[in-house]
Coordinates of all heavy atoms in Angstrom, one line a residue:
M159 N 0.8 -1.2 0.0 CA 0.0 0.0 0.0 C 0.9 1.3 0.0 O 1.4 1.7 1.0 CB -0.9 0.0 1.2 CG -1.8 -1.2 1.3 SD -3.2 -1.1 0.2 CE -3.8 -2.8 0.3
S160 N 1.1 1.8 -1.2 CA 1.9 3.1 -1.2 C 1.0 4.2 -1.5 O -0.2 4.2 -1.1 CB 3.0 2.9 -2.3 OG 2.4 2.5 -3.5
G161 N 1.5 5.2 -2.1 CA 0.7 6.4 -2.3 C -0.4 6.4 -3.4 O -0.9 7.4 -3.9
E162 N -0.6 5.1 -3.9 CA -1.6 5.0 -5.0 C -3.0 5.5 -4.6 O -3.4 5.2 -3.5 CB -1.6 3.5 -5.4 CG -0.7 3.2 -6.5 CD -0.8 1.7 -6.9 OE1 -1.8 1.5 -7.6 OE2 0.0 0.9 -6.6
Q163 N -3.7 6.1 -5.5 CA -5.0 6.5 -5.1 C -5.9 5.3 -5.1 O -5.9 4.4 -5.9 CB -5.5 7.5 -6.1 CG -5.7 7.0 -7.5 CD -6.5 8.0 -8.4 OE1 -6.7 9.1 -8.0 NE2 -7.1 7.4 -9.4
S164 N -6.8 5.3 -4.1 CA -7.7 4.2 -3.9 C -8.9 4.3 -4.9 O -9.5 5.4 -5.0 CB -8.2 4.1 -2.5 OG -9.4 3.4 -2.4
P165 N -9.2 3.2 -5.5 CA -10.4 3.3 -6.4 C -11.7 3.2 -5.7 O -12.8 3.4 -6.2 CB -10.2 2.1 -7.3 CG -9.4 1.1 -6.5 CD -8.6 1.9 -5.6
E166 N -11.6 2.8 -4.4 CA -12.8 2.6 -3.6 C -13.3 4.0 -3.0 O -12.5 4.6 -2.4 CB -12.5 1.7 -2.4 CG -12.1 0.3 -2.9 CD -13.2 -0.5 -3.5 OE1 -14.3 -0.4 -3.0 OE2 -13.0 -1.2 -4.5
P167 N -14.5 4.3 -3.2 CA -15.0 5.5 -2.6 C -15.2 5.2 -1.1 O -15.5 4.1 -0.7 CB -16.4 5.8 -3.2 CG -16.8 4.4 -3.7 CD -15.6 3.6 -4.0
D168 N -15.0 6.2 -0.2 CA -15.3 6.0 1.2 C -16.7 6.5 1.6 O -17.4 7.1 0.7 CB -14.2 6.5 2.1 CG -14.1 8.0 2.0 OD1 -15.0 8.7 1.5 OD2 -13.0 8.6 2.4
C169 N -17.1 6.2 2.8 CA -18.4 6.5 3.2 C -18.8 8.0 3.0 O -19.9 8.3 2.4 CB -18.6 6.2 4.7 SG -18.6 4.4 5.0
S170 N -17.9 8.9 3.3 CA -18.3 10.3 3.2 C -18.5 10.7 1.7 O -19.3 11.5 1.3 CB -17.3 11.2 3.9 OG -16.0 11.0 3.3
E171 N -17.7 10.1 0.9 CA -17.8 10.3 -0.6 C -19.1 9.8 -1.1 O -19.8 10.4 -1.8 CB -16.6 9.7 -1.3 CG -16.3 10.3 -2.6 CD -15.2 9.6 -3.3 OE1 -14.3 9.0 -2.6 OE2 -15.1 9.7 -4.5
V172 N -19.4 8.6 -0.7 CA -20.6 7.9 -1.1 C -21.8 8.8 -0.7 O -22.7 9.1 -1.5 CB -20.8 6.5 -0.6 CG1 -22.1 5.9 -0.8 CG2 -19.7 5.6 -1.3
L173 N -21.9 9.1 0.6 CA -23.0 9.9 1.1 C -23.1 11.3 0.5 O -24.1 11.8 0.3 CB -23.0 9.9 2.6 CG -23.1 8.5 3.3 CD1 -23.0 8.7 4.8 CD2 -24.4 7.8 2.9
G174 N -21.9 11.8 0.2 CA -21.9 13.2 -0.3 C -22.4 13.2 -1.8 O -22.8 14.3 -2.2
H175 N -22.4 12.1 -2.4 CA -22.8 12.1 -3.8 C -24.0 11.2 -4.0 O -24.3 10.7 -5.1 CB -21.7 11.6 -4.7 CG -20.5 12.5 -4.8 ND1 -20.5 13.6 -5.6 CD2 -19.3 12.5 -4.1 CE1 -19.3 14.2 -5.4 NE2 -18.6 13.6 -4.5
L176 N -24.7 11.0 -2.9 CA -25.8 10.0 -2.9 C -26.9 10.4 -3.9 O -27.5 9.6 -4.6 CB -26.4 9.9 -1.5 CG -27.2 8.7 -1.2 CD1 -26.4 7.4 -1.6 CD2 -27.6 8.6 0.2
Y177 N -27.2 11.7 -4.0 CA -28.2 12.2 -4.9 C -27.8 12.1 -6.3 O -28.7 11.7 -7.2 CB -28.6 13.6 -4.5 CG -29.6 13.7 -3.4 CD1 -29.3 13.6 -2.1 CD2 -31.0 13.7 -3.7 CE1 -30.2 13.5 -1.1 CE2 -31.9 13.7 -2.7 CZ -31.6 13.6 -1.4 OH -32.5 13.6 -0.4
E178 N -26.6 12.3 -6.6 CA -26.1 12.1 -8.0 C -26.2 10.6 -8.3 O -26.6 10.3 -9.5 CB -24.7 12.5 -8.1 CG -24.5 14.0 -8.1 CD -23.0 14.4 -7.8 OE1 -22.1 13.9 -8.5 OE2 -22.8 15.1 -6.8
F179 N -25.9 9.8 -7.4 CA -26.1 8.3 -7.6 C -27.5 8.0 -7.9 O -27.9 7.2 -8.8 CB -25.5 7.6 -6.4 CG -25.6 6.1 -6.5 CD1 -24.9 5.4 -7.5 CD2 -26.5 5.4 -5.7 CE1 -25.0 4.0 -7.6 CE2 -26.6 4.0 -5.8 CZ -25.9 3.3 -6.8
L180 N -28.4 8.5 -7.0 CA -29.8 8.2 -7.1 C -30.4 8.7 -8.4 O -31.3 8.1 -9.0 CB -30.6 8.8 -5.9 CG -30.5 8.0 -4.6 CD1 -31.1 8.9 -3.5 CD2 -31.3 6.7 -4.7
D181 N -29.9 9.8 -8.8 CA -30.4 10.4 -10.1 C -29.7 9.9 -11.3 O -30.0 10.4 -12.4 CB -30.3 12.0 -10.0 CG -31.2 12.5 -8.9 OD1 -32.3 11.9 -8.6 OD2 -30.9 13.6 -8.4
R182 N -28.8 9.0 -11.1 CA -28.0 8.5 -12.2 C -27.3 9.6 -12.9 O -27.2 9.7 -14.2 CB -28.9 7.7 -13.2 CG -29.5 6.5 -12.6 CD -30.6 6.0 -13.5 NE -31.5 5.1 -12.7 CZ -31.3 3.8 -12.5 NH1 -30.2 3.3 -12.9 NH2 -32.1 3.1 -11.8
E183 N -26.7 10.6 -12.2 CA -26.1 11.7 -12.8 C -24.5 11.5 -12.8 O -23.8 12.4 -12.9 CB -26.4 13.0 -12.0 CG -27.8 13.5 -12.5 CD -28.2 14.7 -11.6 OE1 -27.5 15.1 -10.7 OE2 -29.3 15.1 -11.9
M184 N -24.1 10.3 -12.5 CA -22.7 10.0 -12.5 C -22.3 8.9 -13.5 O -23.2 8.2 -13.9 CB -22.2 9.6 -11.1 CG -22.9 8.4 -10.5 SD -22.1 7.8 -9.0 CE -22.2 9.3 -8.0
P185 N -21.1 8.9 -13.9 CA -20.7 7.9 -14.9 C -20.9 6.5 -14.4 O -20.8 6.3 -13.2 CB -19.2 8.2 -15.1 CG -18.9 9.5 -14.5 CD -20.0 9.8 -13.5
D186 N -21.1 5.6 -15.3 CA -21.4 4.2 -15.0 C -20.3 3.6 -14.1 O -20.6 2.8 -13.2 CB -21.6 3.4 -16.2 CG -22.9 3.6 -16.9 OD1 -23.8 4.2 -16.2 OD2 -23.1 3.1 -18.0
V187 N -19.1 4.0 -14.4 CA -18.0 3.4 -13.6 C -18.1 3.8 -12.2 O -17.9 3.0 -11.3 CB -16.6 4.0 -14.2 CG1 -15.5 3.0 -13.9 CG2 -16.7 4.4 -15.6
D188 N -18.3 5.1 -11.9 CA -18.4 5.6 -10.5 C -19.7 4.9 -9.9 O -19.6 4.5 -8.7 CB -18.6 7.1 -10.5 CG -17.3 7.7 -10.9 OD1 -16.2 7.1 -10.9 OD2 -17.3 8.9 -11.2
S189 N -20.7 4.9 -10.6 CA -22.0 4.4 -10.1 C -21.8 2.9 -9.7 O -22.3 2.5 -8.7 CB -23.0 4.6 -11.2 OG -24.1 3.7 -11.0
A190 N -21.0 2.2 -10.4 CA -20.8 0.8 -10.1 C -20.0 0.7 -8.8 O -20.3 -0.2 -8.0 CB -20.0 0.1 -11.2
K191 N -19.0 1.5 -8.6 CA -18.2 1.5 -7.4 C -19.1 1.9 -6.2 O -19.0 1.3 -5.1 CB -17.1 2.5 -7.5 CG -15.9 2.1 -8.3 CD -14.9 3.1 -8.4 CE -14.0 3.0 -9.6 NZ -13.2 4.2 -9.9
F192 N -19.9 2.9 -6.4 CA -20.8 3.3 -5.3 C -21.7 2.2 -4.9 O -21.9 1.9 -3.8 CB -21.7 4.5 -5.8 CG -21.0 5.8 -5.5 CD1 -19.7 6.1 -5.9 CD2 -21.7 6.8 -4.8 CE1 -19.1 7.3 -5.6 CE2 -21.1 8.0 -4.6 CZ -19.8 8.3 -4.9
R193 N -22.3 1.5 -5.9 CA -23.2 0.4 -5.6 C -22.5 -0.7 -4.9 O -23.1 -1.2 -3.9 CB -23.8 -0.1 -6.9 CG -24.7 -1.4 -6.8 CD -25.6 -1.5 -7.9 NE -26.7 -0.6 -7.8 CZ -27.8 -0.7 -7.0 NH1 -27.8 -1.7 -6.1 NH2 -28.7 0.2 -7.0
E194 N -21.3 -1.0 -5.3 CA -20.5 -2.0 -4.6 C -20.3 -1.6 -3.1 O -20.5 -2.5 -2.2 CB -19.2 -2.1 -5.3 CG -18.6 -3.5 -5.3 CD -17.4 -3.6 -6.2 OE1 -17.6 -3.5 -7.4 OE2 -16.3 -3.6 -5.6
H195 N -19.9 -0.4 -2.9 CA -19.7 0.1 -1.6 C -21.0 0.0 -0.7 O -21.0 -0.5 0.4 CB -19.2 1.5 -1.6 CG -19.0 2.1 -0.2 ND1 -17.8 2.2 0.4 CD2 -19.9 2.5 0.7 CE1 -17.9 2.7 1.6 NE2 -19.2 2.9 1.8
I196 N -22.1 0.5 -1.3 CA -23.3 0.5 -0.6 C -23.8 -0.9 -0.3 O -24.3 -1.1 0.8 CB -24.4 1.3 -1.5 CG1 -24.1 2.8 -1.4 CG2 -25.8 1.1 -0.9 CD1 -24.9 3.6 -2.5
D197 N -23.6 -1.8 -1.2 CA -24.0 -3.2 -0.9 C -23.3 -3.8 0.3 O -23.8 -4.7 1.0 CB -23.7 -4.1 -2.1 CG -24.8 -3.9 -3.2 OD1 -25.9 -3.4 -2.8 OD2 -24.6 -4.4 -4.3
E198 N -22.0 -3.3 0.5 CA -21.2 -3.9 1.5 C -21.2 -3.1 2.8 O -20.6 -3.6 3.8 CB -19.8 -4.1 1.0 CG -19.7 -5.2 0.0 CD -18.4 -5.2 -0.7 OE1 -17.5 -4.3 -0.4 OE2 -18.2 -6.0 -1.7
C199 N -21.7 -1.9 2.8 CA -21.6 -1.0 3.9 C -23.0 -0.7 4.5 O -23.7 0.0 3.9 CB -20.8 0.2 3.5 SG -20.7 1.4 4.8
S200 N -23.3 -1.3 5.7 CA -24.6 -1.1 6.1 C -25.1 0.3 6.5 O -26.2 0.7 6.2 CB -24.9 -2.1 7.3 OG -24.0 -1.9 8.3
P201 N -24.2 1.1 7.0 CA -24.6 2.5 7.3 C -25.0 3.2 6.0 O -26.0 4.0 5.9 CB -23.4 3.2 7.9 CG -22.6 2.1 8.5 CD -22.8 0.9 7.6
C202 N -24.2 3.0 4.9 CA -24.5 3.6 3.6 C -25.7 3.0 3.0 O -26.6 3.8 2.5 CB -23.3 3.5 2.7 SG -21.9 4.5 3.1
L203 N -25.9 1.8 3.2 CA -27.1 1.1 2.6 C -28.3 1.6 3.3 O -29.3 1.9 2.6 CB -27.0 -0.4 2.9 CG -28.1 -1.3 2.3 CD1 -28.2 -1.2 0.8 CD2 -28.0 -2.7 2.7
E204 N -28.2 1.8 4.6 CA -29.4 2.3 5.3 C -29.8 3.7 4.9 O -30.9 4.0 4.6 CB -28.9 2.4 6.8 CG -30.0 2.7 7.8 CD -29.4 2.9 9.2 OE1 -28.4 2.4 9.4 OE2 -30.0 3.6 10.0
K205 N -28.8 4.5 4.7 CA -29.0 5.9 4.3 C -29.5 5.9 2.8 O -30.4 6.7 2.5 CB -27.7 6.7 4.4 CG -28.0 8.2 4.5 CD -26.9 8.8 5.5 CE -27.1 10.2 5.7 NZ -26.2 10.8 6.7
Y206 N -28.9 5.1 2.0 CA -29.3 5.0 0.6 C -30.8 4.7 0.5 O -31.6 5.3 -0.2 CB -28.5 4.0 -0.1 CG -28.9 3.6 -1.5 CD1 -28.9 4.5 -2.5 CD2 -29.4 2.3 -1.7 CE1 -29.3 4.1 -3.8 CE2 -29.8 1.9 -2.9 CZ -29.8 2.8 -4.0 OH -30.2 2.4 -5.2
G207 N -31.2 3.7 1.3 CA -32.6 3.2 1.3 C -33.5 4.3 1.8 O -34.6 4.5 1.2
L208 N -33.1 5.1 2.7 CA -33.9 6.2 3.2 C -34.1 7.3 2.2 O -35.2 7.8 2.0 CB -33.3 6.8 4.5 CG -33.7 6.0 5.8 CD1 -32.8 6.3 6.9 CD2 -35.1 6.5 6.2
E209 N -33.0 7.6 1.6 CA -33.0 8.7 0.6 C -33.9 8.3 -0.6 O -34.7 9.1 -1.1 CB -31.6 9.0 0.0 CG -30.6 9.5 1.1 CD -30.9 11.0 1.3 OE1 -31.8 11.6 0.7 OE2 -30.2 11.6 2.2
Q210 N -33.8 7.0 -0.9 CA -34.6 6.5 -2.0 C -36.1 6.6 -1.7 O -36.9 7.0 -2.5 CB -34.2 5.1 -2.3 CG -34.3 4.7 -3.7 CD -33.8 3.3 -4.0 OE1 -33.7 2.5 -3.1 NE2 -33.4 3.0 -5.2
A211 N -36.4 6.2 -0.4 CA -37.8 6.3 0.0 C -38.3 7.7 0.0 O -39.4 8.0 -0.4 CB -37.9 5.7 1.4
V212 N -37.5 8.6 0.5 CA -37.9 10.0 0.5 C -38.1 10.5 -0.9 O -39.1 11.2 -1.2 CB -36.8 10.9 1.2 CG1 -37.1 12.4 1.0 CG2 -36.7 10.5 2.6
K213 N -37.2 10.2 -1.8 CA -37.4 10.7 -3.2 C -38.7 10.1 -3.8 O -39.4 10.9 -4.5 CB -36.2 10.2 -4.0 CG -35.1 11.2 -4.0 CD -33.9 10.7 -4.9 CE -34.2 10.9 -6.4 NZ -34.1 12.3 -6.8
K214 N -39.0 8.9 -3.5 CA -40.2 8.3 -4.1 C -41.4 9.0 -3.5 O -42.4 9.3 -4.3 CB -40.2 6.8 -3.7 CG -39.7 5.9 -4.8 CD -39.9 4.5 -4.5 CE -39.0 3.6 -5.3 NZ -38.8 2.3 -4.7
L215 N -41.4 9.2 -2.3 CA -42.5 9.9 -1.6 C -42.7 11.3 -2.1 O -43.8 11.7 -2.4 CB -42.1 10.0 -0.1 CG -43.3 10.1 0.9 CD1 -44.0 8.7 1.0 CD2 -42.8 10.5 2.2
V216 N -41.6 12.0 -2.3 CA -41.7 13.4 -2.8 C -42.3 13.4 -4.2 O -43.1 14.2 -4.6 CB -40.4 14.1 -2.7 CG1 -40.4 15.4 -3.5 CG2 -39.9 14.3 -1.3
K217 N -41.8 12.4 -5.0 CA -42.2 12.4 -6.4 C -43.7 12.1 -6.4 O -44.5 12.7 -7.2 CB -41.5 11.2 -7.1 CG -41.5 11.4 -8.6 CD -40.5 10.4 -9.2 CE -40.5 10.6 -10.7 NZ -39.5 9.7 -11.3
R218 N -44.2 11.2 -5.5 CA -45.6 10.9 -5.6 C -46.5 12.1 -5.1 O -47.5 12.3 -5.6 CB -45.8 9.6 -4.7 CG -47.1 8.9 -5.1 CD -47.3 7.7 -4.2 NE -46.2 6.8 -4.2 CZ -46.0 5.9 -3.2 NH1 -46.8 5.9 -2.2 NH2 -45.0 5.1 -3.2
C219 N -46.0 12.7 -4.0 CA -46.8 13.8 -3.4 C -46.7 15.1 -4.2 O -47.7 15.7 -4.4 CB -46.3 14.1 -2.0 SG -46.5 12.7 -0.9
C220 N -45.5 15.4 -4.6 CA -45.4 16.8 -5.2 C -45.3 16.7 -6.7 O -45.3 17.7 -7.4 CB -44.1 17.4 -4.7 SG -44.0 17.3 -2.9
G221 N -45.2 15.5 -7.3 CA -45.1 15.3 -8.7 C -43.8 15.8 -9.3 O -43.7 15.9 -10.5
H222 N -42.8 16.0 -8.5 CA -41.5 16.3 -9.0 C -40.4 15.5 -8.3 O -40.7 14.9 -7.3 CB -41.2 17.8 -9.1 CG -41.1 18.4 -7.7 ND1 -40.1 18.2 -6.8 CD2 -42.0 19.2 -7.1 CE1 -40.4 18.9 -5.7 NE2 -41.5 19.5 -5.8
D223 N -39.2 15.6 -8.8 CA -38.2 14.7 -8.4 C -37.3 15.3 -7.3 O -36.5 14.6 -6.7 CB -37.3 14.5 -9.7 CG -36.9 13.0 -9.8 OD1 -37.5 12.2 -9.0 OD2 -36.2 12.6 -10.7
E224 N -37.5 16.6 -7.1 CA -36.5 17.2 -6.2 C -37.0 17.1 -4.7 O -38.2 17.4 -4.4 CB -36.4 18.7 -6.5 CG -35.0 19.1 -6.8 CD -35.0 20.5 -7.5 OE1 -35.1 21.5 -6.8 OE2 -34.9 20.5 -8.7
V225 N -36.1 16.7 -3.9 CA -36.5 16.7 -2.4 C -36.2 18.1 -1.9 O -35.1 18.6 -1.9 CB -35.6 15.7 -1.7 CG1 -36.0 15.6 -0.2 CG2 -35.8 14.3 -2.3
P226 N -37.3 18.7 -1.3 CA -37.1 20.0 -0.7 C -36.0 19.9 0.4 O -35.9 19.0 1.1 CB -38.5 20.3 0.0 CG -39.4 19.4 -0.7 CD -38.7 18.2 -1.1
A227 N -35.2 21.0 0.5 CA -34.1 21.0 1.4 C -34.5 20.8 2.8 O -33.8 20.1 3.6 CB -33.3 22.3 1.2
D228 N -35.6 21.4 3.2 CA -36.0 21.2 4.6 C -36.4 19.8 5.0 O -36.1 19.3 6.0 CB -37.1 22.2 5.0 CG -38.3 22.1 4.1 OD1 -38.2 21.6 3.0 OD2 -39.4 22.6 4.5
L229 N -37.1 19.2 4.0 CA -37.5 17.8 4.2 C -36.2 16.9 4.3 O -36.1 16.0 5.1 CB -38.4 17.3 3.1 CG -38.8 15.8 3.1 CD1 -39.6 15.5 4.4 CD2 -39.6 15.5 1.9
R230 N -35.3 17.2 3.4 CA -34.1 16.4 3.4 C -33.3 16.6 4.7 O -32.8 15.6 5.3 CB -33.2 17.0 2.3 CG -32.1 16.1 1.9 CD -31.5 16.7 0.7 NE -30.1 16.3 0.6 CZ -29.3 16.7 -0.4 NH1 -29.7 17.4 -1.4 NH2 -28.0 16.4 -0.4
A231 N -33.3 17.8 5.2 CA -32.6 18.1 6.5 C -33.3 17.3 7.6 O -32.7 16.8 8.5 CB -32.6 19.6 6.7
K232 N -34.6 17.3 7.5 CA -35.4 16.6 8.6 C -35.1 15.1 8.6 O -34.9 14.6 9.6 CB -36.9 16.8 8.2 CG -37.8 17.1 9.4 CD -39.2 17.1 8.9 CE -40.0 18.2 9.5 NZ -41.4 18.2 8.9
V233 N -35.0 14.5 7.4 CA -34.7 13.1 7.3 C -33.3 12.9 7.8 O -33.0 11.9 8.6 CB -34.8 12.6 5.9 CG1 -34.4 11.2 5.7 CG2 -36.3 12.7 5.4
M234 N -32.4 13.7 7.4 CA -31.0 13.6 7.9 C -30.9 13.7 9.4 O -30.2 12.9 10.0 CB -30.1 14.7 7.3 CG -30.0 14.6 5.8 SD -29.1 13.1 5.3 CE -28.9 13.4 3.5
G235 N -31.6 14.6 10.0 CA -31.6 14.7 11.4 C -32.2 13.5 12.1 O -31.7 13.1 13.1
R236 N -33.2 13.0 11.5 CA -33.8 11.7 12.0 C -32.8 10.6 12.0 O -32.7 9.8 12.9 CB -35.0 11.4 11.1 CG -35.9 10.4 11.6 CD -36.8 10.9 12.6 NE -37.6 9.9 13.2 CZ -38.8 10.1 13.7 NH1 -39.3 11.3 13.7 NH2 -39.5 9.2 14.3
I237 N -32.1 10.5 10.9 CA -31.1 9.4 10.8 C -30.0 9.6 11.9 O -29.6 8.6 12.5 CB -30.4 9.5 9.4 CG1 -31.4 9.1 8.3 CG2 -29.2 8.5 9.3 CD1 -31.0 9.4 6.9
E238 N -29.6 10.8 12.1 CA -28.5 11.1 13.1 C -29.1 10.6 14.5 O -28.4 10.1 15.3 CB -28.2 12.5 13.1 CG -27.5 13.0 11.9 CD -26.2 12.2 11.5 OE1 -25.5 11.8 12.5 OE2 -26.0 11.9 10.4
L239 N -30.3 11.0 14.7 CA -31.0 10.7 16.0 C -31.0 9.2 16.2 O -30.7 8.7 17.2 CB -32.4 11.2 15.9 CG -33.0 11.6 17.2 CD1 -32.3 12.9 17.7 CD2 -34.5 11.9 17.1
L240 N -31.5 8.5 15.2 CA -31.5 7.0 15.2 C -30.2 6.4 15.5 O -30.0 5.4 16.3 CB -32.1 6.4 13.9 CG -33.6 6.6 13.7 CD1 -33.9 6.2 12.3 CD2 -34.4 5.8 14.7
R241 N -29.2 7.0 14.9 CA -27.9 6.4 15.0 C -27.3 6.7 16.4 O -26.6 5.8 17.0 CB -27.0 7.0 14.0 CG -26.1 5.9 13.4 CD -25.2 6.4 12.4 NE -25.8 6.1 11.1 CZ -25.3 6.5 10.0 NH1 -24.4 7.4 10.0 NH2 -25.9 6.2 8.9
S242 N -27.6 7.8 16.9 CA -27.0 8.1 18.3 C -27.8 7.4 19.4 O -27.3 7.3 20.5 CB -27.0 9.6 18.5 OG -28.3 10.1 18.4
A243 N -29.0 6.9 19.0 CA -29.8 6.2 20.0 C -29.6 4.7 19.9 O -30.4 3.9 20.2 CB -31.2 6.5 19.8
D244 N -28.5 4.3 19.3 CA -28.2 2.9 19.2 C -28.3 2.1 20.5 O -27.9 2.7 21.5 CB -26.7 2.6 18.6 CG -26.7 2.6 17.1 OD1 -27.8 2.6 16.5 OD2 -25.6 2.6 16.6
P245 N -28.8 0.9 20.5 CA -28.9 0.2 21.8 C -27.5 -0.1 22.3 O -26.5 -0.1 21.5 CB -29.5 -1.2 21.3 CG -29.4 -1.2 19.9 CD -29.3 0.2 19.4
V246 N -27.4 -0.3 23.6 CA -26.1 -0.5 24.2 C -25.5 -1.8 23.7 O -26.2 -2.9 23.7 CB -26.2 -0.7 25.7 CG1 -24.9 -0.8 26.4 CG2 -27.0 0.5 26.3
P247 N -24.3 -1.8 23.1 CA -23.7 -3.0 22.6 C -23.5 -4.0 23.6 O -23.1 -3.7 24.8 CB -22.4 -2.5 21.9 CG -22.1 -1.2 22.6 CD -23.4 -0.6 23.1
E248 N -23.7 -5.3 23.3 CA -23.4 -6.4 24.2 C -22.0 -6.5 24.5 O -21.1 -6.4 23.6 CB -23.9 -7.7 23.6 CG -25.4 -7.9 23.9 CD -25.8 -9.2 23.2 OE1 -25.3 -10.3 23.6 OE2 -26.7 -9.2 22.3
R249 N -21.7 -6.7 25.8 CA -20.3 -6.8 26.2 C -19.9 -8.3 26.0 O -20.6 -9.2 26.5 CB -20.1 -6.4 27.6 CG -19.9 -4.9 27.8 CD -19.3 -4.7 29.1 NE -19.5 -3.3 29.5 CZ -19.2 -2.8 30.7 NH1 -18.7 -3.7 31.6 NH2 -19.4 -1.6 31.0
P250 N -18.7 -8.5 25.5 CA -18.2 -9.9 25.5 C -17.9 -10.3 26.9 O -17.3 -9.6 27.7 CB -17.0 -9.8 24.6 CG -16.5 -8.4 24.6 CD -17.8 -7.6 24.9
A251 N -18.4 -11.5 27.3 CA -18.1 -12.0 28.6 C -16.6 -12.4 28.8 O -16.1 -13.3 28.1 CB -19.0 -13.3 28.9
E252 N -16.0 -11.6 29.7 CA -14.6 -11.9 29.9 C -14.2 -11.8 31.3 O -14.6 -10.9 32.0 CB -13.7 -11.0 29.0 CG -13.2 -11.8 27.8 CD -12.1 -11.0 27.1 OE1 -12.4 -10.2 26.2 OE2 -10.9 -11.3 27.4
Ligands
ZN208 ZN1 -20.1 3.3 3.6

């Protein structure tokens, strides 16, 4: 592992471009990498699923594709909340 650039997107990259991915606004190559990451990374998968659900909902209700910023912020806040409220992890008996 030297200074070579990694072809794998990391979580922040994936989440930062989630809407481009959902809207298919990125090249197929990138999109394939994103999908691969999302498939293997449960936090990203969770967020991806939520974003997708929000987009569908908005499309059905408002008849357009764009998620209003405030709704998006609300969902994001909700996700953060859920995440910080994680159940106490089980301790290994030792
Ligand atoms: Zn991830």
Side-chain angles (χ1 to χ4, degrees):
M159 300 288 168
S160 51
E162 269 182 75
Q163 63 163 22
S164 158
E166 301 289 322
D168 62 19
C169 291
S170 57
E171 203 180 333
V172 169
L173 296 178
H175 295 278
L176 201 53
Y177 275 83
E178 287 162 56
F179 177 69
L180 281 169
D181 292 334
R182 297 167 199 275
E183 279 172 4
M184 58 170 58
D186 282 352
V187 207
D188 289 344
S189 159
K191 280 180 205 162
F192 269 51
R193 173 156 287 284
E194 209 172 291
H195 177 103
I196 287 167
D197 278 348
E198 288 168 4
C199 178
S200 53
C202 286
L203 182 64
E204 187 187 336
K205 205 144 181 174
Y206 168 69
L208 274 161
E209 294 284 358
Q210 212 174 24
V212 171
K213 270 181 77 77
K214 265 187 201 161
L215 204 75
V216 169
K217 199 169 183 177
R218 203 181 306 159
C219 297
C220 315
H222 62 76
D223 226 3
E224 236 166 84
V225 181
D228 57 339
L229 177 61
R230 192 170 155 183
K232 221 186 222 173
V233 174
M234 293 295 188
R236 190 83 185 202
I237 295 168
E238 294 307 319
L239 209 71
L240 285 173
R241 221 179 261 168
S242 58
D244 271 352
V246 184
E248 275 178 59
R249 274 196 201 176
E252 256 194 271

